Amino acid sequence: MDKLDKMGKRGESQEAEHAENKTRKQTNRGGVRAGAGRKKGSGKFGEPTKVMRVPESKVAQIQSWLERQKKGEQKLAGLLEHSAFKVHQPANDERVTLPLYSHKVVAGFPSPADDYIETTLDLNEKLVRNKEATFLLVVEGDSMQKAGIQDGDILVVDRSIEPSDGKIVIAALDGELTVKRLSVKSTGTWLVPENDNYPPILVREEAEMVIWGVVTATISQF
Amino acid sequence: MDKLDKMGKRGESQEAEHAENKTRKQTNRGGVRAGAGRKKGSGKFGEPTKVMRVPESKVAQIQSWLERQKKGEQKLAGLLEHSAFKVHQPANDERVTLPLYSHKVVAGFPSPADDYIETTLDLNEKLVRNKEATFLLVVEGDSMQKAGIQDGDILVVDRSIEPSDGKIVIAALDGELTVKRLSVKSTGTWLVPENDNYPPILVREEAEMVIWGVVTATISQF
DNA sequence: TAATATGAAAATTGTAACATAATTCAAAAG
DNA sequence: CTTTTGAATTATGTTACAATTTTCATATTA
């Protein structure tokens, strides 16, 4: 209704103008100009779009996902900028050191005496080489069980380490996060679980894989 | 019906002359029949579809996701793999050093970039509850492999926690230091390895066992 | 009679097309 | 100089359409 009304109004006014201005076109504003008109990429997606056919039941999910992707990309961009391979020395103001006992030394001695303290260790320093490029993730699933990565573990992920063959990586494959061992072979790039119940995943050319970082440690809490 | 059709067929040559078939094309095969044509739901999605406009860069991901959704029900294992991360409980500590990302699985369409910074976490605070009573040990051997404790791991041991049934403990049994799961049964006290290649150890009355502490975490570095 | 081939009907599917809607900016108006 | 105007241009949701696929009663063949 509204739309129809607008159309009608526009048509009317044009007719009126036409009548008053004796057959002269009234285009004395706007018009053909270089740079006129809406800018490309000014839509809500910021890029060209395509129409695609999807099952009815999935429409809402996809729309929701696209919304979240939009917001998330901004945050991810910020993260990438922020942790772009800059080495930063961790402040040692709150340095916590713990006694590290050597298994060999204490073997045969049933009491924990201070004499057997081999060294002291700060867990942050031990586990975090590059503070600005490191983040933590919690694992769900057992696909890396043989590598000692268990369900519920906290992974220490270093974004400044170059992903290479044999490294355990956090990979976003077609938008889904997984932890797998990266295998770069002549047969292609593979994401290999360390659990016989799971098959290796071939990263196809058309797939979109983003490596978030390399896993440097895993922490299991009991 | 059958008979009528047959009659029609037989009168084929006369169809042009006699208008028995009223507006029927002179089709002698196929044609309007109850149950003719493609069945509903026979498409690749098995349900009605809609067209929607999406950003070009997301087309491949959505298609890939739809593919996996389709055959997703078949492999539960694969499904679990895809949601390899869960939300981690935020630490209630004020002090923060490392970002802890969480991966929320939203309505089956996970978005790795959505609200992924859950909190920040200090590893020392996360792993050490009682600093004065905590020490670290380096593991030798694989007797606790199934518990995720590997050779070379760093164990976080808390001496202030009361050893009890089911806890993983550092025990000095007759002068030999081991890490085992403590099992207190009616049959006696046992030190149980988590590796089928090692037998449980019965702690005899006359044996001298000293529990050094309870293992609260294990750290594997790659 | 049984098995195979045929082709129209019905549904699917990818993409083009269309109608608004939203945005932009130079020129006109104040 | 500031505000208003409106054509130009792109974006967006939906419909339309042509090509494809599937189905099955019937015709044809064996």
Side-chain angles (χ1 to χ4, degrees):
Chain A
M1 293 295 251
D2 232 332
K3 294 166 187 172
L4 285 175
D5 285 348
K6 276 199 174 178
M7 284 295 286
K9 275 185 184 174
R10 184 175 288 178
E12 269 185 81
S13 61
Q14 279 183 351
E15 292 252 352
E17 282 174 341
H18 188 276
E20 289 177 13
N21 292 321
K22 41 180 170 182
T23 75
R24 177 103 322 268
K25 215 169 62 178
Q26 182 65 23
T27 60
N28 42 9
R29 296 182 187 182
V32 177
R33 279 159 283 113
R38 188 172 181 168
K39 294 297 184 206
K40 279 187 182 177
S42 67
K44 65 177 177 182
F45 295 121
E47 61 171 299
T49 59
K50 295 208 75 170
V51 289
M52 68 183 299
R53 189 175 289 277
V54 301
E56 253 178 26
S57 66
K58 302 287 192 294
V59 170
Q61 276 174 275
I62 294 173
Q63 281 174 338
S64 163
W65 179 73
L66 287 173
E67 275 300 308
R68 283 179 280 123
Q69 286 289 112
K70 216 188 339 167
K71 287 183 285 189
E73 271 169 12
Q74 298 165 5
K75 294 183 183 177
L76 190 58
L79 173 74
L80 291 171
E81 283 179 34
H82 185 257
S83 60
F85 303 99
K86 56 176 179 179
V87 182
H88 186 267
Q89 285 289 355
N92 59 350
D93 49 5
E94 284 290 335
R95 191 167 180 276
V96 178
T97 60
L98 297 169
L100 174 64
Y101 291 88
S102 163
H103 189 198
K104 293 177 200 167
V105 172
V106 297
F109 294 88
S111 68
D114 291 343
D115 293 351
Y116 308 124
I117 295 177
E118 190 161 87
T119 181
T120 60
L121 191 64
D122 182 281
L123 283 178
N124 281 332
E125 291 180 8
K126 174 71 173 172
L127 294 174
V128 181
R129 186 175 307 269
N130 183 349
K131 177 169 177 270
E132 295 307 307
T134 299
F135 64 93
L136 308 175
L137 271 177
V138 178
V139 176
E140 185 176 320
D142 59 344
S143 69
M144 292 296 284
Q145 197 178 59
K146 277 190 169 179
I149 298 176
Q150 315 247 332
D151 187 58
D153 277 13
I154 298 173
L155 295 182
V156 181
V157 185
D158 191 334
R159 294 180 50 84
S160 68
I161 296 178
E162 184 75 14
S164 60
D165 181 64
K167 297 279 190 193
I168 295 176
V169 298
I170 303 297
L173 182 61
D174 286 327
E176 289 181 347
L177 275 186
T178 57
V179 51
K180 296 283 183 296
R181 193 178 292 278
L182 184 65
S183 174
V184 183
K185 306 286 185 190
S186 59
T187 56
T189 300
W190 297 78
L191 293 175
V192 185
E194 298 236 338
N195 184 327
D196 296 336
N197 297 327
Y198 297 86
I201 300 169
L202 175 62
V203 181
R204 287 158 293 126
E205 285 296 324
E206 66 270 19
E208 182 177 338
M209 184 176 75
V210 177
I211 304 283
W212 279 39
V214 172
V215 177
T216 60
T218 183
I219 300 168
S220 304
Q221 285 190 291
F222 301 111
Chain B
M1 292 286 268
D2 238 3
K3 285 193 173 181
L4 281 175
D5 285 346
K6 280 203 171 181
M7 285 295 285
K9 169 197 75 182
R10 193 180 291 171
E12 184 180 341
S13 59
Q14 296 177 349
E15 263 192 351
E17 305 170 25
H18 302 292
E20 275 189 2
N21 285 337
K22 48 180 175 182
T23 73
R24 275 288 296 279
K25 232 164 47 178
Q26 68 166 20
T27 59
N28 39 9
R29 296 182 187 182
V32 178
R33 280 157 282 117
R38 189 172 181 169
K39 293 297 186 212
K40 278 188 181 178
S42 68
K44 65 178 177 181
F45 295 120
E47 62 171 297
T49 60
K50 295 209 72 172
V51 289
M52 67 182 301
R53 191 175 288 277
V54 301
E56 251 177 29
S57 66
K58 301 289 190 296
V59 170
Q61 285 186 59
I62 294 174
Q63 282 175 339
S64 166
W65 179 72
L66 287 173
E67 275 299 310
R68 275 182 278 121
Q69 285 293 111
K70 210 177 3 161
K71 51 192 173 187
E73 290 93 25
Q74 307 168 6
K75 291 189 175 181
L76 181 63
L79 195 74
L80 292 172
E81 244 196 333
H82 284 311
S83 57
F85 297 87
K86 68 174 182 183
V87 181
H88 185 269
Q89 204 100 359
N92 53 3
D93 302 78
E94 297 289 300
R95 184 156 176 271
V96 294
T97 58
L98 292 174
L100 174 63
Y101 298 138
S102 82
H103 178 261
K104 291 179 181 173
V105 179
V106 181
F109 210 131
S111 168
D114 177 48
D115 292 339
Y116 53 93
I117 297 183
E118 184 71 11
T119 181
T120 53
L121 191 63
D122 180 275
L123 283 178
N124 281 329
E125 291 181 9
K126 174 71 175 173
L127 296 174
V128 181
R129 187 176 306 271
N130 182 350
K131 177 173 176 267
E132 299 306 313
T134 300
F135 64 93
L136 307 175
L137 267 180
V138 177
V139 175
E140 282 183 14
D142 59 346
S143 69
M144 293 295 283
Q145 195 178 61
K146 275 189 169 177
I149 299 176
Q150 315 245 333
D151 188 49
D153 277 13
I154 298 173
L155 295 181
V156 180
V157 185
D158 193 334
R159 293 173 52 199
S160 68
I161 296 177
E162 183 75 15
S164 60
D165 180 64
K167 298 277 189 193
I168 295 176
V169 298
I170 303 297
L173 181 61
D174 287 327
E176 188 179 347
L177 201 61
T178 59
V179 52
K180 297 283 183 298
R181 192 178 295 277
L182 185 65
S183 175
V184 182
K185 305 286 184 190
S186 59
T187 57
T189 299
W190 297 77
L191 292 175
V192 185
E194 296 234 356
N195 185 328
D196 296 336
N197 298 327
Y198 296 84
I201 300 168
L202 175 63
V203 182
R204 286 157 291 129
E205 286 294 329
E206 63 273 20
E208 182 181 353
M209 184 177 76
V210 176
I211 304 282
W212 279 37
V214 173
V215 176
T216 59
T218 183
I219 300 166
S220 304
Q221 286 190 292
F222 303 114

